Amino acid sequence: MSAIEGITLYNVFSPNDDNFNKCFSIDVDNPECMDLVYSIFNRWGEKVYEGFGLEDCWNGIDFRSGKEAPEGEYFGVYIFKIQGSEEDHRLSNVVTLMR
């Protein structure tokens, strides 16, 4: 999968009380990127979060249970809409949640 210019995917965040990296998000510095939908999955392939829009972020809460997701590795899938392109652009990565 090739990278999309101006988009940075991070791989670690720590939603704890230190106010650093408390919400997982994607940095988008590409004016042609118009929209984003992304999903975060646990190791069993269950979706624990779904984000909509360039400003959305995951705070480490499993949206199914409303409880804190456990520490560990998660898999992120990101679908971008790029101005002037008919096709979706997809990226993925492993995200580590640390508490």
Side-chain angles (χ1 to χ4, degrees):
M1 215 172 271
S2 63
I4 300 172
E5 185 175 331
I7 294 176
T8 304
L9 300 177
Y10 297 102
N11 60 357
V12 176
F13 79 114
S14 57
N16 54 29
D17 294 330
D18 69 3
N19 289 324
F20 294 101
N21 300 315
K22 65 182 184 174
C23 196
F24 176 76
S25 62
I26 295 106
D27 276 348
V28 179
D29 187 22
N30 181 334
E32 294 179 351
C33 187
M34 299 170 25
D35 200 9
L36 164 66
V37 174
Y38 70 99
S39 300
I40 305 293
F41 299 90
N42 64 20
R43 70 174 83 190
W44 298 280
E46 300 165 329
K47 188 184 296 186
V48 297
Y49 183 76
E50 187 166 51
F52 301 93
L54 300 173
E55 302 298 320
D56 204 353
C57 70
W58 181 37
N59 61 1
I61 300 297
D62 184 328
F63 78 149
R64 297 167 305 139
S65 67
K67 297 180 180 178
E68 289 184 351
E71 278 192 331
E73 291 186 340
Y74 293 80
F75 186 71
V77 177
Y78 316 93
I79 302 170
F80 295 91
K81 298 283 186 194
I82 304 292
Q83 184 177 1
S85 176
E86 295 293 321
E87 65 185 56
D88 290 339
H89 296 268
R90 297 172 185 264
L91 296 173
S92 62
N93 73 334
V94 174
V95 177
T96 301
L97 187 158
M98 299 173 65
R99 295 210 181 266

